Structure formats: structure tokens, C-alpha cells
Amino acid sequence: MVCVCNATYCDTLDPVVLPALGTYVKYESSKAGKRLERSEGSFQRSLHAPGTRCGRQRLAGSCLRPTVTPASLPADLVLTVDTTQRYQKVKGFGGSVTDAAAMNILSLPETAQDHLLRSYFSEEGLEYNLVRLPMASCDFSLHAYTYDDVPFDYELTHFSLRDEDTKLKIPLLHRALAMSKQPLSLYASPWTSPTWMKTSESFVGKGTLKGQAGDKYHKTWANYFVRFLDEYAKYNLTFWAVTAENEPSAGLINNYPFQCLGFTAEQQRDFIAWDLGPALANSSHRHIQLIILDDNRLHLPHWAKVVLEDEKAARYVHGIGIHWYLDFIGPIQDTVVPTHELFPDYFILATEACIGAHFWERDVILGCWDRGNQYSHSILTNLNHFVAGWTDWNLALDLEGGPNWVKNYVDSPVIVDTSEGIFYKQPMFYHMGHFSKFIPEGSQRVGLVASKESKKVDLEYTAFLRPDGAVVVVVLNR
């Protein structure tokens, strides 16, 4: 089931209004067709709800239970919030503005473009606050390019943004910012350096930076980050963070099919310690956050240990980025959890996820409810294991799952049909909203315990205390 939007119509949500004391608001989406459907109920006072222990709620004294058990929950299951147990704080939720996403959005009639952007960024939509941006091209571009493809330009004299930035991505970011009630946190990731800096002398395939950390290639590549931030600043766009490299392990793979730049954990450590860290610290962007890894969590905790146990590198780093593509062979308990325990002062952020990337998956399946479930399952698993937020991949793709210059087509929560001037909001879109709209930046995960393991139904759930004092509980019944 999809929701169809065009130039004259698109479904909207009302801004969230906190319920009065003693009442709650419920938002429900279902395979049968509910899409963030709002209802209200009131708590009954019961001095000992089965299996519960009163945390300090806004109403002191007796425990509060919903008088209505949501139909999706077995009546004998009670979830109890315990706000005395505090875990990680949330950075946020969002998606990525690739060249492909920008082209798809801008291919629509202007009012439909506005509907699409408002659906993601405004109070009548999902209220995304994170936006990831590739630095120059990625596979979701029409061709491979960087910002300085003039050979051996070590001074970056020829560095310049491209039409994809100035005509597509930047105008869209300004429109998104204008319709968002909170500031957007932008973060950028490079896929490849200019070919003249690489051992492969190619955008694709196995290749690393020439030379070693501290030399002219590494210094120039570090300065390229600063120049990117400088150029975007001229368009009044400032970034919250950069990642040191998108999927650094990709560039270590023979015949890798699209833009990449290989780093081992040791090479990333040294590049940050000698080049990228100092370049950012000595620039006008010294407050920017630096995120390492930005690759599958399978590399944890090893990658974090290598980089963060080195004092010289660690002082420049703020967080660790993870992608979801190999989650099925890297359980979160063996990767993310030990990393958090070793390095609790560094945030862990899910920086990329999409469905359709594996060869056994169909690219686009319009209206697929299970793909929404996969998103919610991943987000819940991450949030329940110290991850601070979750970033989707392309904000919008076409019916094929592109454009993508190497035909690496995938699915997206929003699919654009340019020929008809319409776009489809898929189940993945609404699943994202159950998190992004209700768990704002600065919320803190709190305890949530079930009265018993329900045998009948496999529920997943999480709870957050928002900065305004309200509690949010998200429950997934797959």
C-alpha cells in the first residue's frame, strides 16, 4: 500500500501536541492501511498494575495504566516505563540528499516538490533533522566526478563545486531548512578523492591514497575537506559533521564497481592524526564533528580500538558511523555493544541503510509493508543498543530505483514517477516517522520492561524521555 501525492494533494500530519496529564496519544500504522493514525485515551489510576513498579512519572503517587490496551497488544502484556534508568541521548533521524535524490525531487512540478520536502522536514511531515550529503559524486550520480579533477593540483586552485551542488542539492537544502522548525544537522561523506591522488588512478576499483599519512597527497586530501566546507559556507550552509570516508573497506576490494577510496583502520587512524584532524582543527570549521568508520558494523570493535586507542587520532574524533548492509553477519551484541562499553564518550550513529542493495533483493517493490518492518526492526535494535540515531539512504528514487551510473538500483521510502508528476510514500516512510516525528534530538532512552515474555507475539519496543518531559514508547509488532 502506498500513498500517492501530486501537485494538488498529499497526506499530512498535524503537529504533535502533548496530551493533558492523565491522558496519552497513540499513533498507529498497519499493513491494513493505517498511516500514523492518531487516537487518544486516558490512564486509569491503579495502585498496583500487574507486574509494574512505579517510576517517577509526571503524576506522582499511583501508577498510571492506559485504560485501553491497544488492539495490537495482547491484553495480558504490560510494558512499564522506568525513567530512573537512563541510556544514550538521541542525535536524530533523517536521510540523504544524493545527486539522484535531488534530480528526482526536482523533476516533479514545483508544488509536488514542496509536498515531498514538507513530508520529510516540516511539522506536517516526519520532522527529519539529519541530512547526509555525499562530497561530490557517488554511485547515485549520473557520472563519476570530484571537485578537483585537474591532475596534481596540490594547492586545490581548481577546486570548485559542480552544478549538482549549486543547481540541485544546495537549493533543496535551503528549501528544507526553511520548512523545518528545528535546525537541520548536515553531515558530509566523500566516496572518492580525485584520481590523481590514488594508487589506482581510477574512481573505481581497489585503491588508496598514494604515499602515506603526512605527505602531500594526504595533506591535499585533508585540505579538500576544508575547501568543501568553505564552499558550502559561501552558500550559507554549515555542517554538523563529516565522516572520514564512506565505506573505507570498499576501496580495499578488487574491482569494486563504483567510487571508493580504501583505508585500513590503521591508515584511517594515521590520516586523522597527521592530516585530517589538524586540517579541520586549524580551519574556520574547528567545531565540526568527525565521524570514523562510516561502514558496516562488522568492523567493530576492532576499527574503533585501532583509531581511538591512539591518543593523537582520538582527540579529533567525536563519533562512529555504521552501515546496515552486513548486519546479518555482525550481531549488534558482538560489534556495537563492546564498542560502546570501551568508548562510552563517542556517539555511535547509523549513517546509511537501504533495501534492495543485495543481489537477491528486488530493487523497488511499491507498497511493501515488510520493508517498513525491516526499517523499524533495525532502528529499534540500534536504539536499544546505544546508537544515537539512524540515517536512511536516498530521500527519493525513481521507479527503477535510480538513477545510478553503475545500475546499483535500490528502494527508497519515496518513489517518484516523473512521467506522471507524482510520488509514492511507501510503508518505509511511515515507519521512519514513528521515530523521527516523536523522538526529537536530545531525547534520552529510558528503561522499558515487559511484565512477561509474550509467547503469542514477538514485540519489539523502546522508550524515550523527551526534552519537554513527555515519554514516547514505540512498539513494533511484526
Side-chain angles (χ1 to χ4, degrees):
M1 185 170 298
V2 290
C3 293
V4 185
C5 296
N6 57 29
T8 54
Y9 172 78
C10 200
D11 61 310
T12 58
L13 297 158
D14 291 328
V16 176
V17 178
L18 292 190
L21 281 175
T23 69
Y24 64 86
V25 180
K26 182 181 78 172
Y27 289 82
E28 190 175 357
S29 298
S30 68
K31 188 173 184 177
K34 288 183 181 175
R35 294 293 180 264
L36 286 162
E37 191 173 289
R38 186 182 187 278
S39 59
E40 296 176 12
S42 54
F43 291 101
Q44 69 185 36
R45 291 179 175 273
S46 71
L47 288 168
H48 41 78
T52 65
R53 182 168 64 75
C54 292
R56 282 174 302 148
Q57 278 134 329
R58 287 202 297 178
L59 270 183
S62 57
C63 277
L64 299 176
R65 297 187 62 195
T67 49
V68 189
T69 303
S72 55
L73 290 181
D76 50 359
L77 179 78
V78 178
L79 295 175
T80 305
V81 175
D82 181 358
T83 54
T84 61
Q85 289 183 52
R86 303 285 175 109
Y87 303 96
Q88 81 276 21
K89 285 204 164 159
V90 168
K91 177 61 197 173
F93 303 90
S96 307
V97 177
T98 57
D99 293 350
M103 282 183 270
N104 283 311
I105 296 168
L106 291 169
S107 72
L108 290 163
E110 190 156 354
T111 48
Q113 296 173 26
D114 277 335
H115 285 319
L116 195 159
L117 291 170
R118 264 203 287 276
S119 292
Y120 272 130
F121 295 103
S122 78
E123 276 195 294
E124 63 185 56
L126 303 192
E127 302 186 52
Y128 273 15
N129 73 316
L130 287 183
V131 181
R132 182 172 182 237
L133 222 69
M135 279 167 63
S137 67
C138 67
D139 53 324
F140 283 91
S141 299
L142 292 183
H143 61 111
Y145 63 88
T146 74
Y147 297 129
D148 194 345
D149 291 321
V150 176
F152 314 114
D153 181 17
Y154 298 109
E155 300 302 310
L156 299 175
T157 314
H158 299 280
F159 185 104
S160 71
L161 298 183
R162 307 285 287 246
D163 283 351
E164 285 88 344
D165 300 276
T166 58
K167 294 191 165 85
L168 304 179
K169 296 191 279 194
I170 289 171
L172 278 184
L173 288 171
H174 281 299
R175 287 165 69 182
L177 280 157
M179 41 182 78
S180 169
K181 79 167 198 296
Q182 77 268 25
L184 300 181
S185 290
L186 310 179
Y187 66 105
S189 306
W191 264 243
T192 181
S193 69
T195 55
W196 52 268
M197 297 186 195
K198 296 176 68 175
T199 55
S200 59
E201 306 219 324
S202 166
F203 288 124
V204 303
K206 184 176 182 175
T208 61
L209 287 174
K210 292 175 180 172
Q212 59 265 316
D215 71 7
K216 64 183 178 181
Y217 293 105
H218 287 69
K219 290 265 175 274
T220 305
W221 181 231
N223 289 332
Y224 180 106
F225 281 71
V226 175
R227 284 298 304 277
F228 168 81
L229 297 169
D230 287 344
E231 295 303 315
Y232 263 73
K234 291 175 186 171
Y235 290 89
N236 206 18
L237 290 169
T238 30
F239 282 77
W240 159 68
V242 290
T243 75
E245 169 62 32
N246 174 73
E247 298 191 353
S249 68
L252 306 175
I253 298 169
N254 282 322
N255 305 311
Y256 196 77
F258 55 86
Q259 297 95 314
C260 57
L261 181 61
F263 289 85
T264 63
E266 291 76 12
Q267 287 168 328
Q268 182 164 95
R269 171 195 68 199
D270 296 344
F271 172 57
I272 288 169
W274 292 100
D275 306 296
L276 182 57
L280 292 171
N282 294 321
S283 74
S284 57
H285 315 286
R286 67 185 64 86
H287 300 302
I288 200 157
Q289 309 264 295
L290 177 58
I291 298 171
I292 61 166
L293 191 57
D294 197 22
D295 203 334
N296 295 309
R297 71 184 183 205
L298 196 64
H299 296 285
L300 294 174
H302 168 74
W303 197 283
K305 283 180 168 169
V306 170
V307 179
L308 299 179
E309 284 173 357
D310 181 88
E311 261 176 64
K312 197 165 167 6
R315 60 201 254 221
Y316 296 116
V317 175
H318 303 84
I320 302 161
I322 51 174
H323 293 189
W324 88 336
Y325 302 105
L326 296 177
D327 281 5
F328 54 88
I329 52 171
I332 201 158
Q333 293 82 358
D334 303 335
T335 53
V336 171
V337 173
T339 304
H340 169 76
E341 287 167 351
L342 285 165
F343 307 106
D345 297 337
Y346 295 84
F347 65 80
I348 304 171
L349 181 69
T351 50
E352 191 185 306
C354 68
I355 302 178
H358 297 302
F359 68 85
W360 60 84
E361 293 174 322
R362 277 174 56 197
D363 300 334
V364 175
I365 306 179
L366 276 180
C368 179
W369 180 258
D370 183 61
R371 291 188 163 185
N373 277 343
Q374 287 180 56
Y375 267 38
S376 284
H377 170 67
S378 171
I379 297 168
L380 283 161
T381 305
N382 276 280
L383 292 176
N384 285 333
H385 295 88
F386 308 106
V387 176
W390 203 90
T391 319
D392 184 31
W393 189 207
N394 302 273
L395 284 178
L397 292 173
D398 63 22
L399 289 162
E400 197 171 31
N404 182 296
W405 74 279
V406 291
K407 298 186 164 46
N408 180 30
Y409 302 129
V410 302
D411 215 339
S412 168
V414 168
I415 296 293
V416 171
D417 182 347
T418 306
S419 64
E420 299 288 332
I422 62 177
F423 64 93
Y424 301 103
K425 291 177 175 175
Q426 304 223 67
M428 289 177 281
F429 174 90
Y430 297 94
H431 277 259
M432 284 294 299
H434 278 273
F435 301 91
S436 61
K437 192 168 181 67
F438 306 105
I439 309 174
E441 181 172 359
S443 298
Q444 187 169 23
R445 187 165 68 87
V446 293
L448 184 63
V449 284
S451 57
K452 59 171 197 171
E453 288 301 315
S454 175
K455 297 289 179 281
K456 290 194 285 291
V457 56
D458 196 14
L459 296 178
E460 300 166 52
Y461 39 79
T462 194
F464 285 84
L465 183 59
R466 292 162 41 114
D468 59 19
V471 167
V472 184
V473 176
V474 184
V475 180
L476 173 66
N477 178 358
R478 285 199 286 170

mmCIF file of all heavy atoms in Angstrom, residues 77-103:
data_model
loop_
_atom_site.group_PDB
_atom_site.id
_atom_site.type_symbol
_atom_site.label_atom_id
_atom_site.label_comp_id
_atom_site.label_asym_id
_atom_site.label_seq_id
_atom_site.Cartn_x
_atom_site.Cartn_y
_atom_site.Cartn_z
ATOM 1 N N LEU A 77 -0.170 -8.342 28.477
ATOM 2 C CA LEU A 77 1.207 -7.844 28.460
ATOM 3 C C LEU A 77 1.229 -6.392 28.943
ATOM 4 O O LEU A 77 0.464 -5.571 28.451
ATOM 5 C CB LEU A 77 1.780 -7.911 27.045
ATOM 6 C CG LEU A 77 3.216 -7.389 26.941
ATOM 7 C CD1 LEU A 77 4.212 -8.426 27.451
ATOM 8 C CD2 LEU A 77 3.552 -7.002 25.513
ATOM 9 N N VAL A 78 2.066 -6.103 29.917
ATOM 10 C CA VAL A 78 2.190 -4.732 30.404
ATOM 11 C C VAL A 78 3.627 -4.258 30.214
ATOM 12 O O VAL A 78 4.571 -4.938 30.618
ATOM 13 C CB VAL A 78 1.801 -4.633 31.903
ATOM 14 C CG1 VAL A 78 1.992 -3.204 32.411
ATOM 15 C CG2 VAL A 78 0.360 -5.083 32.103
ATOM 16 N N LEU A 79 3.782 -3.120 29.575
ATOM 17 C CA LEU A 79 5.094 -2.501 29.427
ATOM 18 C C LEU A 79 5.206 -1.377 30.454
ATOM 19 O O LEU A 79 4.325 -0.529 30.516
ATOM 20 C CB LEU A 79 5.271 -1.924 28.020
ATOM 21 C CG LEU A 79 5.276 -2.920 26.853
ATOM 22 C CD1 LEU A 79 5.346 -2.174 25.527
ATOM 23 C CD2 LEU A 79 6.451 -3.882 26.970
ATOM 24 N N THR A 80 6.263 -1.391 31.239
ATOM 25 C CA THR A 80 6.424 -0.380 32.282
ATOM 26 C C THR A 80 7.653 0.479 32.008
ATOM 27 O O THR A 80 8.763 -0.039 31.873
ATOM 28 C CB THR A 80 6.572 -1.041 33.662
ATOM 29 O OG1 THR A 80 5.454 -1.901 33.867
ATOM 30 C CG2 THR A 80 6.611 0.008 34.766
ATOM 31 N N VAL A 81 7.403 1.782 31.926
ATOM 32 C CA VAL A 81 8.497 2.736 31.717
ATOM 33 C C VAL A 81 9.186 2.997 33.050
ATOM 34 O O VAL A 81 8.534 3.210 34.066
ATOM 35 C CB VAL A 81 7.934 4.063 31.154
ATOM 36 C CG1 VAL A 81 9.042 5.116 31.051
ATOM 37 C CG2 VAL A 81 7.281 3.833 29.796
ATOM 38 N N ASP A 82 10.516 2.978 33.045
ATOM 39 C CA ASP A 82 11.278 3.309 34.250
ATOM 40 C C ASP A 82 12.246 4.434 33.912
ATOM 41 O O ASP A 82 13.323 4.206 33.360
ATOM 42 C CB ASP A 82 12.045 2.069 34.747
ATOM 43 C CG ASP A 82 12.841 2.351 36.018
ATOM 44 O OD1 ASP A 82 12.834 3.512 36.487
ATOM 45 O OD2 ASP A 82 13.482 1.417 36.528
ATOM 46 N N THR A 83 11.840 5.664 34.242
ATOM 47 C CA THR A 83 12.647 6.826 33.849
ATOM 48 C C THR A 83 13.889 6.993 34.731
ATOM 49 O O THR A 83 14.696 7.887 34.486
ATOM 50 C CB THR A 83 11.817 8.121 33.897
ATOM 51 O OG1 THR A 83 11.231 8.250 35.190
ATOM 52 C CG2 THR A 83 10.728 8.114 32.847
ATOM 53 N N THR A 84 14.046 6.126 35.748
ATOM 54 C CA THR A 84 15.270 6.217 36.551
ATOM 55 C C THR A 84 16.440 5.540 35.824
ATOM 56 O O THR A 84 17.596 5.814 36.135
ATOM 57 C CB THR A 84 15.087 5.567 37.940
ATOM 58 O OG1 THR A 84 14.786 4.175 37.761
ATOM 59 C CG2 THR A 84 13.957 6.234 38.699
ATOM 60 N N GLN A 85 16.127 4.657 34.875
ATOM 61 C CA GLN A 85 17.193 4.045 34.064
ATOM 62 C C GLN A 85 17.436 4.938 32.849
ATOM 63 O O GLN A 85 16.538 5.138 32.036
ATOM 64 C CB GLN A 85 16.756 2.671 33.551
ATOM 65 C CG GLN A 85 16.661 1.589 34.608
ATOM 66 C CD GLN A 85 16.300 0.255 33.956
ATOM 67 O OE1 GLN A 85 16.953 -0.176 33.005
ATOM 68 N NE2 GLN A 85 15.247 -0.370 34.447
ATOM 69 N N ARG A 86 18.641 5.481 32.735
ATOM 70 C CA ARG A 86 18.949 6.404 31.636
ATOM 71 C C ARG A 86 20.059 5.845 30.766
ATOM 72 O O ARG A 86 21.060 5.343 31.267
ATOM 73 C CB ARG A 86 19.388 7.771 32.200
ATOM 74 C CG ARG A 86 18.362 8.442 33.124
ATOM 75 C CD ARG A 86 17.202 9.027 32.329
ATOM 76 N NE ARG A 86 16.176 9.566 33.199
ATOM 77 C CZ ARG A 86 15.949 10.883 33.342
ATOM 78 N NH1 ARG A 86 16.690 11.764 32.701
ATOM 79 N NH2 ARG A 86 14.976 11.296 34.129
ATOM 80 N N TYR A 87 19.875 5.960 29.455
ATOM 81 C CA TYR A 87 20.859 5.451 28.498
ATOM 82 C C TYR A 87 21.325 6.589 27.589
ATOM 83 O O TYR A 87 21.443 7.719 28.037
ATOM 84 C CB TYR A 87 20.270 4.276 27.713
ATOM 85 C CG TYR A 87 19.794 3.147 28.613
ATOM 86 C CD1 TYR A 87 18.447 3.048 29.007
ATOM 87 C CD2 TYR A 87 20.684 2.197 29.103
ATOM 88 C CE1 TYR A 87 18.016 2.021 29.851
ATOM 89 C CE2 TYR A 87 20.258 1.164 29.943
ATOM 90 C CZ TYR A 87 18.923 1.092 30.314
ATOM 91 O OH TYR A 87 18.496 0.080 31.139
ATOM 92 N N GLN A 88 21.523 6.296 26.282
ATOM 93 C CA GLN A 88 22.109 7.313 25.410
ATOM 94 C C GLN A 88 21.117 8.409 25.040
ATOM 95 O O GLN A 88 19.909 8.229 25.067
ATOM 96 C CB GLN A 88 22.646 6.659 24.126
ATOM 97 C CG GLN A 88 21.595 6.374 23.026
ATOM 98 C CD GLN A 88 20.833 5.072 23.216
ATOM 99 O OE1 GLN A 88 20.745 4.513 24.306
ATOM 100 N NE2 GLN A 88 20.251 4.569 22.123
ATOM 101 N N LYS A 89 21.677 9.571 24.656
ATOM 102 C CA LYS A 89 20.852 10.670 24.126
ATOM 103 C C LYS A 89 20.795 10.567 22.610
ATOM 104 O O LYS A 89 21.719 10.071 21.964
ATOM 105 C CB LYS A 89 21.434 12.015 24.539
ATOM 106 C CG LYS A 89 21.166 12.320 26.007
ATOM 107 C CD LYS A 89 21.186 13.807 26.304
ATOM 108 C CE LYS A 89 20.537 14.059 27.674
ATOM 109 N NZ LYS A 89 20.946 15.351 28.239
ATOM 110 N N VAL A 90 19.705 11.060 22.059
ATOM 111 C CA VAL A 90 19.447 10.946 20.622
ATOM 112 C C VAL A 90 20.012 12.143 19.866
ATOM 113 O O VAL A 90 19.842 13.282 20.294
ATOM 114 C CB VAL A 90 17.922 10.850 20.378
ATOM 115 C CG1 VAL A 90 17.580 11.016 18.896
ATOM 116 C CG2 VAL A 90 17.396 9.523 20.896
ATOM 117 N N LYS A 91 20.651 11.851 18.730
ATOM 118 C CA LYS A 91 21.040 12.913 17.802
ATOM 119 C C LYS A 91 19.920 13.170 16.803
ATOM 120 O O LYS A 91 19.583 14.310 16.516
ATOM 121 C CB LYS A 91 22.339 12.529 17.070
ATOM 122 C CG LYS A 91 22.780 13.552 16.036
ATOM 123 C CD LYS A 91 23.070 14.906 16.657
ATOM 124 C CE LYS A 91 23.101 15.991 15.592
ATOM 125 N NZ LYS A 91 23.223 17.341 16.180
ATOM 126 N N GLY A 92 19.348 12.104 16.241
ATOM 127 C CA GLY A 92 18.217 12.329 15.348
ATOM 128 C C GLY A 92 18.058 11.278 14.266
ATOM 129 O O GLY A 92 18.667 10.204 14.305
ATOM 130 N N PHE A 93 17.224 11.629 13.284
ATOM 131 C CA PHE A 93 16.827 10.723 12.204
ATOM 132 C C PHE A 93 16.742 11.520 10.909
ATOM 133 O O PHE A 93 16.426 12.699 10.920
ATOM 134 C CB PHE A 93 15.460 10.098 12.505
ATOM 135 C CG PHE A 93 15.430 9.355 13.819
ATOM 136 C CD1 PHE A 93 15.071 10.007 14.997
ATOM 137 C CD2 PHE A 93 15.811 8.019 13.886
ATOM 138 C CE1 PHE A 93 15.075 9.342 16.215
ATOM 139 C CE2 PHE A 93 15.811 7.344 15.103
ATOM 140 C CZ PHE A 93 15.446 8.005 16.269
ATOM 141 N N GLY A 94 17.004 10.844 9.795
ATOM 142 C CA GLY A 94 16.914 11.566 8.530
ATOM 143 C C GLY A 94 17.266 10.706 7.347
ATOM 144 O O GLY A 94 17.186 9.469 7.395
ATOM 145 N N GLY A 95 17.680 11.375 6.263
ATOM 146 C CA GLY A 95 18.008 10.691 5.019
ATOM 147 C C GLY A 95 19.060 11.471 4.259
ATOM 148 O O GLY A 95 19.599 12.461 4.754
ATOM 149 N N SER A 96 19.328 11.018 3.023
ATOM 150 C CA SER A 96 20.461 11.542 2.275
ATOM 151 C C SER A 96 20.035 12.243 0.984
ATOM 152 O O SER A 96 19.187 11.749 0.243
ATOM 153 C CB SER A 96 21.430 10.412 1.936
ATOM 154 O OG SER A 96 21.764 9.717 3.123
ATOM 155 N N VAL A 97 20.674 13.391 0.753
ATOM 156 C CA VAL A 97 20.458 14.134 -0.491
ATOM 157 C C VAL A 97 21.607 13.803 -1.438
ATOM 158 O O VAL A 97 22.661 14.439 -1.423
ATOM 159 C CB VAL A 97 20.363 15.655 -0.232
ATOM 160 C CG1 VAL A 97 20.212 16.412 -1.549
ATOM 161 C CG2 VAL A 97 19.181 15.973 0.672
ATOM 162 N N THR A 98 21.408 12.747 -2.219
ATOM 163 C CA THR A 98 22.354 12.374 -3.270
ATOM 164 C C THR A 98 21.991 13.156 -4.531
ATOM 165 O O THR A 98 20.923 13.778 -4.608
ATOM 166 C CB THR A 98 22.238 10.878 -3.575
ATOM 167 O OG1 THR A 98 20.862 10.611 -3.944
ATOM 168 C CG2 THR A 98 22.606 10.033 -2.355
ATOM 169 N N ASP A 99 22.867 13.083 -5.544
ATOM 170 C CA ASP A 99 22.519 13.688 -6.837
ATOM 171 C C ASP A 99 21.207 13.097 -7.349
ATOM 172 O O ASP A 99 20.333 13.817 -7.840
ATOM 173 C CB ASP A 99 23.632 13.422 -7.869
ATOM 174 C CG ASP A 99 24.929 14.153 -7.527
ATOM 175 O OD1 ASP A 99 24.935 15.001 -6.616
ATOM 176 O OD2 ASP A 99 25.954 13.854 -8.186
ATOM 177 N N ALA A 100 21.070 11.771 -7.222
ATOM 178 C CA ALA A 100 19.872 11.093 -7.724
ATOM 179 C C ALA A 100 18.617 11.567 -6.985
ATOM 180 O O ALA A 100 17.593 11.865 -7.605
ATOM 181 C CB ALA A 100 20.030 9.578 -7.572
ATOM 182 N N ALA A 101 18.702 11.648 -5.657
ATOM 183 C CA ALA A 101 17.543 12.098 -4.877
ATOM 184 C C ALA A 101 17.150 13.514 -5.296
ATOM 185 O O ALA A 101 15.961 13.805 -5.514
ATOM 186 C CB ALA A 101 17.856 12.050 -3.382
ATOM 187 N N ALA A 102 18.140 14.384 -5.436
ATOM 188 C CA ALA A 102 17.854 15.772 -5.809
ATOM 189 C C ALA A 102 17.223 15.852 -7.199
ATOM 190 O O ALA A 102 16.239 16.570 -7.417
ATOM 191 C CB ALA A 102 19.139 16.602 -5.753
ATOM 192 N N MET A 103 17.772 15.082 -8.150
ATOM 193 C CA MET A 103 17.210 15.080 -9.508
ATOM 194 C C MET A 103 15.766 14.601 -9.510
ATOM 195 O O MET A 103 14.910 15.167 -10.203
ATOM 196 C CB MET A 103 18.054 14.186 -10.425
ATOM 197 C CG MET A 103 19.331 14.842 -10.885
ATOM 198 S SD MET A 103 20.237 13.784 -12.039
ATOM 199 C CE MET A 103 21.244 12.880 -10.900
#
